[in-house]
Structures are given as C-alpha cells and as structure tokens.
C-alpha cells in the first residue's frame, strides 16, 4: 500500500505539468481549427509563435525565481525597454575619428561595440534588479510597491536615455539579427531556430539546473515556502532575495536583446509596456503560487507559450486589441482562482 | 455547557467538560497550558462546533454556528490579542457591525450618543468617541473592547488572560470594572494563569485538565494550593525512560543574558550528556531565551559561550557551532510544510550532498532515509510533502533536521506540543538516547535544553529544571528537588 501511495505522490507533480501541457494543446487546437485556411499551424506561424514567446519566456525565467520566493516584480517591462534602449544608444555612439570628424563607434570598432552594448545593457538591467532587491531587503518595503515604483522610474530613465525618441543605430549588428527567422532566410537556415531561441533554450537549462541542483536553488524554495524556517535553518534570507531580483534583471536584459531584434533593431523606449502582465501570467499559469514555495521552469515555459498563442491567435482571428487584452486578463484571474482552489483542497 | 467533547483528528482536545455560570457571577476558568481552555471558549463562541454535549443559554438550547451568531446571542469574547481596527475611531470600533443607520446612511449622531454611553460604562468617559483607537493605550483599547460588549448588551463576557500586558494600576482598574459589570447582572468567565488574580476576583472557579473539567467550587473555600493540586494532579505514566545520564564538560554557558524585553539577565550552564528543562507559563520569556541564544533575537546584554565561541552569533553560525533549534510552532516557524521531508531535514546543512555547491536530490533523500528509519518517521518516502504527515511525524522531521546537521547542543521548544501520546513517547526515548550517547557508534552524549509547559514531561525527562517567570530565570535545580506543585508555584510567581 505504501508503494501505491508513493506512486500517487510522484505522479502529483507530473500531473501538474501534464495538465498544463494539455491546456497548451487545447489552446493551440482551438486556434488551429478556428483560424481560417489552416494559417495557424503553418511552420512559419509556429516559428513566429516561438520567436514572440521567447521574449516573455526569457523574462519569465527570472520571474519564476521571484514568485517562488513569494515576491513580485512589476518592473520587468521597463527593464526590457531599458536594455533595448541601452543597446541602441551604445550602437549609436559617436566619437572623434582620426581626422577629427565625428564617426560612429560601431564603424570604428565593429566587433567590440555590440559586445560593449550587451555588457552595458546586462550591467544596467542587473543593477536595477539588485536595487529592487536591496530596497525590499534592507528597507523592508513590500516588493509590490518597490517594483511598482521602479517600473515608473526605469521607464522614465529609458525614455531619458533615448531622448524620448526611437534610436535608429547606423549599422545592422548581430544583436539586431538575434531573432531573424531561419525558415525564410537561406543564410541562417543552418541554425534551424533563431539564435535568440537557442539562447533561451540554454537559459532554460541553466535556470532549471540552478533551481533543482544547487544550494541556492534549495534556498529559494525554502525562503518562499516559509521564511521563518529558512531563517531558523541559517539560510541567508536577505542575500537569497537580493540575488533573485538581480537575476530577474539579468534575464530581462537578455529578453531586451531579443525584443530589440524582434522590433527591427530599433531602440524604442516605449517597448515592453504591459509585459509584466504577460510575464507574471506565464509564471502563474505555469503552476507557481503567489504564496511562494512553488513553481517550475518547465511550467513557466508552457505558460509563456499559452500566453503567446492566445495573443497571436487572437490577432489572427481578427479579434480587436481590446478583446485580446480582456481575454488575457481573464485568463490570469482564472489561473489564480484555480491555484487557490488547489491549495484549499490540500489543506 | 454540559459534557462538551471536541476531537481534532485523533487528538481529543475536550473530553467532557461541564461548565456553568450564573447571571452576575464571576467564574474563573483555570488550567495548565493546553488543558483545553481556548478550545472550550472557541466552542462557546461558535468558532468550533462540539462533537458531543450541549450548551444552554438562559435554559434554552444554544448552538452557535459562527462567532457573529454568538455575539448576537449575547456572548462577547475578549481575547489576549485585541481585535480592534486601529485606524477607525473609538465609536466606530464600539459599534462595528451594529452601526445605527438612518435612511440607508450612517447615523453619526446616534452613533456618538451610543458610544458615549458605552464608554461611560467602562470608565472611559474622558475619551472622545472620535479618537482613533491606535492613539489609545493598550489598557484603554482593552476597555474599548469591553465597551463594545456593553454596547451589544452582552449577557456573558469572556475575558481570556486580560492582564497579561497590563500594568498593576490598570489591572486594578480592570478588576473594578469587571466587578461593576457583574453587579449589573452580566456573567463573567475569567480565564487566567495567575491564581492570585482569581482569588481576588472570582466567586467560583472551574479547573480544566487534559480536556476535562476536574473540579469546581467557591473560590473562597479553596486554598491556592488546593487549586494547584487540582490543576496538576495526574499520574505520571510509563512514558518516560528514566536512564542515568552522566554530565560531561560544559557545552553552553549563558551569563546574565538579556534580550529587548525578555529574558532578564538569565544565567545557566548546560553540560554534555544533560537534559536541562525550563518550565514556566506561556509568555514567561522561555521562547525568547532560546531565540536569543540561537541568534534569532538580539542580545542587549550578557554573553552566550559555546565552546571557544563567545557572544552573539547568527543562526547560520550557530549551526556551524553544532547547535540546533526546534521551534515551538512548527506550522509558522519550524517547518516549510509545502516542501518535501528531505528538503526540510537537509536545509541547515546542504553541504556534502553533491559536488561543490551542488545539491543532488538523490543524495538528499539518501541522507534522510537513514533518519526516517532510525527515529522512525512514518512516511511514504523522503520526497513526500511535509504537510501530508501527522503532527507527531512533522515534529520528528523537525528533530531529524538537528541530527542531520550533527549538532551537539539541542534547543527544543515545546517539542511535544499538540502531538499524540505515541509520538510523544518516541520523542522522549529519542531525547534520552541522545543525552546518553552511544559509544558503540561513536556518538558523544549531547547537551539538551528542553522548554516545556507540560510539567510531567519536564519531571520525567530532565536532569535539572529551572523555572522562568515574567522574564526572570530561576536557579536550575536537580529534578529530584522539584515536583509539579513546586514547579507550578514557582511559575505563577
């Protein structure tokens, strides 16, 4: 009998993921059937879904950590915009050339400049994340308020750096090509998937590994499940939270590179508005709980795909934008309601 | 109340309680911690429904379905933790839920008038009804709560440990008020640990022990000693293994340790191979003492020495010094119930469960399987979620954590609270074997500090016992010099 119970326990977590996968398939089939002419399940559209979902999914990796520690980060959309703008701004830098005339840095140093752009964007985004974490830990302000504030501050900062305009860098670089489709582009078809998607896949593996197999990962779950217990057991609670928010900033920078490429290599300071909604929704639909201690990377990825399919499917069905927004909002409430019901059954 | 019984799962919280209170009478309800006083009052207030027995109010059957119903029936409860809305005005608090209305709008004029009457009845006529409650002192807030009961025309007023946070002057005022209310025909049920208060105030008393009412009488007819005897009088059963422990070197030394409020200048020495018990009432500062030692609470004065280390250390450092703590409340503090048994046991010491800073789940589980069999913890596997276990097995998980971390000094705060007798016996045997050590396995005798409110447990397991009362820790004395009576006498001050 013990063995049977053991089996049922092991399948409980499996069941959770399986149920989400089923939801993903149902949502997909819905649009596959109702979008006319089978346009929805063409390879090209599938590639588009993957490209679009990569931005959400990458940011959602960090958000998974945050929600497992029972926190929240509303500033992800703004941090993505900051990364986009910092990349464009760096690629648009001008310096004094050899003849005394102004030349673009990227023309002078074509290999180093994109790298510099990435380093600056990652540095800025991670710093914002760490700052969020420091305010939450040191000043003991609730995460909702801290990140609500930084959502506004960082959006303003991005607009300030860009001078309230879109920045058009003078040169195409590999950053701008991260999300180039590989199906229609012969030169890149050897990659099978866009480079940005490969980056995402690598990040998924790393994030899942960290959560499952490192001391830090165990600490993240412990802090989220019961902060008092974590403190009793000597877990560095403050440091764990700080790193988690910093990590979210880091993943937002990567999401920013993808977004930069996805919107055509433009430094648009108004990009990524409402992304916090999509990203949080992806994590919650993926099975994380707002009360902390629960959540998985695999679930989050499924959640990000569901959100993207709803979004793009809605577009292709010709739903007006206001309907799409309402549907996504409704889905979030539904996911949280299901989460609550599940918890009530457990206790 | 007649023959009230209440079970929680397998635990019997109330096993047949009879209680009655006449109009205008002050009836004291006394009993040790965990005797079932709060459960009984929750039955009375409709928060729990009894499994057996009946309640009569003014001779008619009364079955409260929820706290609101009880309030409407005229039963008002005043808990230790005040339940006021601090931002609202005094009058809004007094009339919360029964606000006078006029044409669908709040009738502020009537509200003020009604509140003033209620405030006058509790001697707070100096307070303007508009004052926000948060600007009042604790004692005044408590009176506002009583005023709320007066405004409701309550016939039965229950006061649960009302003096625990009051000064002597405020206590005197409160007693005056309680007497005045009883003179108006209101029945008072007064719950307290402090027997001197009961002698001063009550007409009659009822003693609860192990969930049953074991005696009642006219307070004036009984001596304090007689009441204490009723509170503790039970047989010490075969639960406790009485083995000889041999005290070794000093493992932990506390010198004049003070925290922010409690403890007040506590000193003792704990030896290897010794179980030192700390008795006292809830709120005496025992938990604060352990938390200060373990680095969970700041130390304002004094010293903690563990071997060569001295002074404050964080919980992480304490674990490294081979000290571990089981906290009193496993739900809110002790365990991460949403996580697996393996996660809970290994949390303080994840080192060595994988290469470098990695933690391999398989090694985590293997490390726990050992303890699960040895203690034993009844579960399906180390991967099982901790919330699935019974209270006793959860507690064993909390103790297994210390064994996994290979501690030499164990701080145990109420390690058997709220668990069944079988698990209790296992935990006593475990504690005893830890204190003895096992030379065949190379296990040194461990030093154990045991905080408990359950006196037979302290007398049955400890080598020495000290009593804490209102933040002050008494001198530890050999267990042979104590009995339940003397412990209780020392604990109530």
């Amino acid at each position: 009998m013990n063995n049977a119970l053991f089996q049922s326990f092991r399948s409980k977590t499996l069941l959770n993921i399986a149920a989400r996968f089923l939801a993903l398939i149902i949502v997909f089939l819905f649009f596959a059937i109702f979008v006319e002419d089978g346009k929805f399940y063409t390879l090209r559209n599938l590639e588009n879904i993957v490209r679009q979902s990569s931005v959400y999914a990458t940011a959602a990796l960090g958000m998974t950590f945050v929600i497992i520690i029972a926190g929240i980060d509303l500033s992800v959309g703004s941090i993505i915009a900051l990364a986009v703008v910092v990349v464009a701004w760096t690629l648009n830098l001008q310096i004094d050339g050899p003849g005394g005339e102004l030349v673009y840095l990227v023309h002078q140093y074509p290999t180093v400049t994109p790298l510099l752009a990435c380093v600056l964007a990652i540095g800025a985004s991670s710093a914002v994340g760490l700052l969020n974490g420091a305010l939450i830990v040191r000043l003991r302000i609730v995460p909702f308020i801290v990140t609500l504030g930084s959502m506004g501050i960082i959006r303003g900062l991005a607009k300030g750096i860009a001078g309230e305009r879109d920045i058009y860098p003078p040169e195409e670089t590999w950053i701008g090509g991260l999300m180039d489709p590989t199906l229609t582009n012969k030169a890149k078809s050897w990659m099978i998937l866009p480079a940005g998607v490969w980056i995402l896949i690598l990040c998924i593996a790393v994030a899942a590994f960290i959560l499952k197999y490192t001391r830090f990962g165990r600490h993240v779950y412990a802090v989220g499940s019961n902060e008092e217990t974590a403190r009793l057991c000597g877990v560095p609670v403050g440091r764990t939270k700080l790193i988690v928010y910093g990590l979210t900033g880091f993943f937002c920078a990567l999401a920013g590179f993808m977004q930069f490429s996805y919107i055509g290599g433009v430094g648009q300071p108004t990009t990524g508005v409402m992304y916090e909604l999509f990203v949080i929704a992806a994590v919650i639909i993926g099975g994380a709980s707002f009360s902390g201690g629960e959540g998985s990377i695999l679930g989050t990825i499924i959640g990000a795909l569901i959100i993207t399919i709803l979004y793009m499917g809605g577009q292709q069905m010709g739903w007006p934008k206001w309907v799409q927004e309402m549907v996504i909002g409704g889905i979030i409430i539904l996911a949280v309601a299901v989460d609550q019901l599940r918890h009530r059954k457990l206790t | 109340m007649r023959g009230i019984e209440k079970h929680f799962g397998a635990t019997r919280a109330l096993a047949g309680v009879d209680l009655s209170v006449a109009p205008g009478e002050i009836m004291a309800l006394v009993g040790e911690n965990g005797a079932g006083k709060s459960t009984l009052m929750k039955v009375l207030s409709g928060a729990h429904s009894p499994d057996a027995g009946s309640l009569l109010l003014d001779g008619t059957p009364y079955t409260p379905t929820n706290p609101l119903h009880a309030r409407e029936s005229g039963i008002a409860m005043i808990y230790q933790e005040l339940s006021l809305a601090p931002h609202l005005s005094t009058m809004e608090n007094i009339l919360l839920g029964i606000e006078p209305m006029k044409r669908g709008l709040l009738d502020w004029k009537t509200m003020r008038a009604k509140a003033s009457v209620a405030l006058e009845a509790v001697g707070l006529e100096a307070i303007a009804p508009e004052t926000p409650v948060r600007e009042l002192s604790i004692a005044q807030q408590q009176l506002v709560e009583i005023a709320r009961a007066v405004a409701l025309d309550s016939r039965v007023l229950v006061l649960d440990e009302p003096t625990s946070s009051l000064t002597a002057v405020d206590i005197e005022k409160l007693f005056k008020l309680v007497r005045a209310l009883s003179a108006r025909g209101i029945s008072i049920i007064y719950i307290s640990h402090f027997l001197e208060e009961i002698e001063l105030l009550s007409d009659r008393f009822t003693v609860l022990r192990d969930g049953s009412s074991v005696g009642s009488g006219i307070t004036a007819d009984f001596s304090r000693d007689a009441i204490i005897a009723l509170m503790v009088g039970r047989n010490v059963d075969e639960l406790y293994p009485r083995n000889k422990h041999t005290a070794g070197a000093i493992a932990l030394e506390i010198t004049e340790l003070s925290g922010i409020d409690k403890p007040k200048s506590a000193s003792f020495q704990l030896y290897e191979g010794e179980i030192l018990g700390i008795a006292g009432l809830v709120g005496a500062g025992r938990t604060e003492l352990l938390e200060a030692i373990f680095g969970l609470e700041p130390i304002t004065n004094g010293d903690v020495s563990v071997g060569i280390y001295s002074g404050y250390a964080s919980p992480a450092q304490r674990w490294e010094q081979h000290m571990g703590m089981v906290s009193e409340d496993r739900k809110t503090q002790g365990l991460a119930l949403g996580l697996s048994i393996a996660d809970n046991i290994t949390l303080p010491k994840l080192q060595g469960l994988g290469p470098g800073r990695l933690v391999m789940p398989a090694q985590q589980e293997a490390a726990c399987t050992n303890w699960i069999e040895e203690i034993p913890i009844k579960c399906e596997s180390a991967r099982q979620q901790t919330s699935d276990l019974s209270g006793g097995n959860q507690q064993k998980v909390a103790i297994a954590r210390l064994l996994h971390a290979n501690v030499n000094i164990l701080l145990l705060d109420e390690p058997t609270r709220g668990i069944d007798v079988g698990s209790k016996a296992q935990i006593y045997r475990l504690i005893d074997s830890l204190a003895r050590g096992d030379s065949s396995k190379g296990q040194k005798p461990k030093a154990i500090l045991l905080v408990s409110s359950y006196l037979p447990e302290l007398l049955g397991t400890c080598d020495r016992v000290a009593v804490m009362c209102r933040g002050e820790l008494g001198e530890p004395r050999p267990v042979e010099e104590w009995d339940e009576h003397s412990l209780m006498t020392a604990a109530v001050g």
Side-chain angles (χ1 to χ4, degrees):
Chain A
M1 193 204 91
N2 262 350
N3 209 15
L5 279 170
F6 177 49
Q7 290 294 332
S8 78
F9 162 69
R10 284 199 63 177
S11 56
K12 217 194 290 176
T13 36
L14 216 70
L15 203 76
N16 268 332
I17 293 290
R20 289 184 165 76
F21 199 70
L22 193 71
L24 172 65
I25 289 172
I26 290 170
V27 172
F28 180 79
L29 284 180
F30 175 84
F31 289 110
I33 291 166
F34 289 104
V35 173
E36 50 191 35
D37 303 337
K39 276 185 201 151
F40 197 73
Y41 50 88
T42 58
L43 267 182
R44 217 163 137 183
N45 197 47
L46 292 182
E47 185 180 48
N48 268 334
I49 291 174
V50 172
R51 285 170 64 217
Q52 173 71 47
S53 63
S54 293
V55 179
Y56 303 148
T58 307
L61 292 178
M63 188 68 83
T64 308
F65 283 81
V66 170
I67 290 183
I68 292 175
I69 62 163
I72 190 88
D73 191 342
L74 299 176
S75 65
V76 287
S78 298
I79 304 182
I80 290 173
L82 177 71
V84 167
V85 167
V86 167
V87 166
W89 178 82
T90 315
L91 295 178
N92 204 33
L93 269 183
Q94 289 176 310
I95 51 164
D96 287 329
E101 77 287 4
L102 278 179
V103 291
Y104 283 104
L105 187 70
V106 67
H107 285 151
Q108 197 76 3
Y109 305 104
T111 41
V112 178
T113 311
L115 283 177
L116 178 70
C118 288
V119 169
L120 288 179
I122 288 176
S125 303
S126 307
V128 171
L130 287 172
L131 204 67
N132 278 339
L135 289 172
I136 290 162
V137 174
R138 296 270 165 243
L139 299 187
R140 298 188 187 173
I141 313 175
V142 290
F144 186 92
I145 299 299
V146 169
T147 59
L148 185 67
S150 57
M151 175 169 100
I153 294 169
I154 302 309
R155 176 69 64 186
L157 182 65
K159 287 180 179 169
I161 293 171
E164 299 216 61
R165 276 174 282 122
D166 291 357
I167 301 176
Y168 292 90
E171 190 73 20
E172 274 271 325
T173 59
W174 57 263
I175 307 176
L178 273 179
M179 297 309 283
D180 283 354
T182 48
L183 279 174
T184 46
N185 187 338
K186 282 260 151 38
K188 290 193 171 177
S189 59
W190 60 271
M191 290 201 283
I192 305 169
L193 290 170
V197 178
W198 285 116
I199 294 178
L200 170 62
I201 291 172
L202 182 71
C203 288
I204 291 172
V206 170
F209 182 83
I210 289 176
L211 266 184
K212 181 132 202 211
Y213 294 105
T214 66
R215 226 180 278 173
F216 171 71
R218 296 289 93 196
H219 287 174
V220 167
Y221 278 107
V223 169
S225 181
N226 190 341
E227 198 172 317
E228 292 297 317
T229 306
R231 196 162 279 131
L232 178 76
C233 289
V235 171
V237 174
R239 202 172 70 201
T240 306
K241 287 185 178 178
L242 193 68
I243 296 173
V244 162
Y245 283 96
L247 212 54
T248 306
F250 171 78
F251 282 119
C252 284
L254 300 189
F257 303 156
M258 297 174 192
Q259 182 72 356
F260 176 72
S261 168
Y262 194 76
I263 59 178
V266 186
Q268 204 182 72
T270 53
T271 194
V273 172
M274 294 279 280
Y275 275 28
E276 56 282 340
L277 180 70
F278 299 137
V279 168
I280 292 168
V283 177
I284 296 299
I285 292 172
S289 159
F290 272 129
S291 45
E294 272 180 85
S296 71
I297 296 294
L298 191 59
T300 294
I301 299 306
I302 295 175
L305 283 170
I306 290 178
I307 288 288
T308 315
I309 289 174
L310 278 172
Y311 182 74
M312 293 184 67
Q315 261 178 353
Q316 289 171 27
M317 293 276 282
W319 293 350
K321 204 161 166 49
W322 61 269
V323 174
Q324 287 176 38
E325 286 178 2
M326 287 177 68
V327 167
I328 296 205
I331 294 281
I332 294 175
I333 295 179
L334 186 74
V336 175
V338 169
D339 174 60
Q340 288 294 334
L341 283 176
R342 203 159 49 94
H343 275 261
R344 218 172 297 158
K345 237 187 285 170
L346 281 177
T347 48
Chain B
M1 301 178 93
R2 285 189 200 144
I4 302 296
E5 291 184 23
K6 177 73 191 171
H7 304 251
F8 295 105
T11 341
R12 195 165 61 165
L14 294 177
V17 178
D18 299 308
L19 185 83
S20 66
V21 53
E25 186 182 49
I26 304 177
M27 211 276 301
L29 183 61
V30 292
E32 281 187 88
N33 305 323
K37 292 175 305 218
S38 338
T39 315
L40 182 67
M41 288 307 112
K42 280 182 179 155
V43 169
L44 180 63
S45 72
H48 292 326
S49 53
D51 298 330
S54 60
L55 289 91
L56 294 176
L57 188 64
D58 295 339
T60 49
Y62 156 73
T63 43
T65 44
N66 56 48
L68 186 68
H69 180 194
R71 223 155 55 118
E72 285 165 350
S73 313
I75 294 178
M77 315 281 294
I78 304 203
Y79 292 107
Q80 268 162 294
E81 311 287 324
L82 298 177
S83 55
L84 295 170
H87 298 90
L88 298 187
S89 70
T90 305
M91 61 180 171
E92 284 170 290
N93 268 294
I94 292 174
L95 298 170
L96 199 63
I98 51 160
E99 294 89 347
M101 307 290 271
K102 205 156 89 186
R103 275 179 262 117
L105 295 174
L106 277 180
D107 181 359
W108 287 98
K109 229 171 120 184
T110 316
M111 195 160 172
R112 189 169 296 117
K114 279 191 168 179
S116 301
V117 171
L119 282 173
E120 213 185 307
V122 298
L124 279 185
E125 52 280 336
I127 305 283
E130 290 83 5
T131 320
V133 154
R134 59 160 186 268
E135 290 174 12
L136 305 180
S137 73
I138 293 288
Q140 287 172 328
Q141 291 188 17
Q142 199 171 40
L143 294 176
V144 170
E145 284 226 32
I146 297 175
R148 187 193 269 174
V150 170
L152 269 163
D153 261 334
S154 302
R155 283 166 300 163
V156 181
L157 179 64
V158 180
L159 295 155
D160 188 0
E161 299 283 350
T163 58
S164 52
S165 45
L166 297 188
T167 61
V169 181
D170 289 329
I171 292 176
E172 193 48 51
K173 277 190 202 154
L174 178 74
F175 283 6
K176 251 194 203 146
L177 172 62
V178 170
R179 286 192 200 103
L181 291 175
S182 82
R184 287 172 51 170
I186 298 176
S187 311
I188 313 273
I189 299 179
Y190 188 90
I191 303 174
S192 180
H193 282 311
F194 298 110
L195 294 182
E196 67 269 35
E197 291 182 0
I198 283 156
E199 288 170 351
L200 267 171
L201 193 62
S202 69
D203 306 319
R204 255 171 8 99
F205 70 90
T206 297
V207 177
L208 275 196
R209 190 206 311 148
D210 296 335
S212 316
S213 43
V214 292
S216 64
I218 311 286
T219 315
D221 296 348
F222 283 77
S223 69
R224 190 181 298 188
D225 283 354
I227 298 178
I228 289 181
L230 277 172
M231 284 166 74
V232 298
R234 60 170 115 57
N235 304 323
V236 179
D237 33 30
E238 300 295 303
L239 278 174
Y240 310 102
R242 264 246 156 259
N243 283 303
K244 188 129 185 66
H245 303 148
T246 30
I250 292 178
L252 170 70
E253 182 164 16
I254 312 294
T255 342
E256 292 177 6
L257 184 72
S258 299
I260 290 175
D261 180 31
K262 297 170 228 175
K264 292 172 185 148
S265 194
S267 303
F268 65 82
Q269 293 168 329
L270 175 67
Y271 298 90
E272 285 171 5
E274 181 197 39
I275 305 174
L276 173 60
I278 297 183
L281 301 173
V282 166
R286 299 167 302 165
T287 297
E288 289 83 350
L289 172 67
L290 292 199
E291 287 180 343
I293 295 172
F294 202 61
L296 288 162
E297 287 283 329
I299 294 174
T300 54
N301 194 24
D303 192 33
V304 179
S305 314
V306 183
I308 55 167
Y309 310 100
S310 154
Y312 172 85
S314 69
Q317 289 166 319
R318 289 293 183 222
W319 286 105
E320 276 168 27
Q321 295 165 7
H322 296 287
M323 184 193 283
M325 177 167 163
V326 171
S327 68
E328 146 187 56
D329 190 336
R330 60 179 172 271
K331 278 207 177 69
T332 62
Q333 231 196 343
L335 292 170
L337 291 176
L339 300 185
S340 70
I341 298 169
D343 273 331
N344 268 297
I345 293 182
T346 57
L347 191 55
K349 192 170 163 251
L350 291 164
Q351 295 95 309
L353 296 172
R357 291 189 65 85
L358 301 190
V359 178
M360 294 295 143
Q363 287 192 38
Q364 232 182 332
E365 285 153 32
C368 296
T369 310
N370 190 14
W371 299 119
I372 288 173
E373 283 166 10
E374 197 173 318
I375 291 181
I377 301 169
K378 205 167 154 196
C379 62
E380 291 145 27
S381 83
R383 300 164 63 130
Q384 195 180 5
Q385 194 169 320
T386 315
S387 59
D388 290 351
L389 303 184
S390 71
N393 283 299
Q394 288 180 0
Q395 199 61 31
K396 288 186 238 165
V397 169
I399 297 178
R401 177 188 287 155
L402 308 195
L403 303 181
H404 167 76
N406 193 22
V407 302
N408 295 327
I409 304 168
L410 291 84
L411 312 182
L412 309 177
D413 196 356
E414 304 281 4
T416 64
R417 193 165 82 169
I419 67 177
D420 59 290
V421 179
S423 297
K424 275 187 184 173
Q426 281 173 330
I427 287 178
Y428 297 141
R429 276 201 296 276
L430 180 67
I431 293 175
D432 177 65
S433 71
L434 291 172
R436 268 185 295 145
D438 190 339
S439 47
S440 69
K441 288 184 191 163
Q443 283 166 354
K444 275 202 321 184
K446 297 185 190 300
I448 296 164
L449 191 60
L450 175 70
V451 164
S452 176
S453 303
Y454 190 55
L455 301 179
E457 168 176 302
L458 288 171
L459 295 170
T461 49
C462 296
D463 301 305
R464 286 189 303 154
V465 179
V467 179
M468 199 154 188
C469 179
R470 298 180 201 254
E472 314 232 2
L473 183 69
E475 182 76 21
R477 278 160 42 190
V479 71
E480 296 78 22
E481 295 178 20
W482 292 107
D483 57 27
E484 292 195 23
H485 199 114
S486 57
L487 282 176
M488 187 54 96
T489 312
V492 296

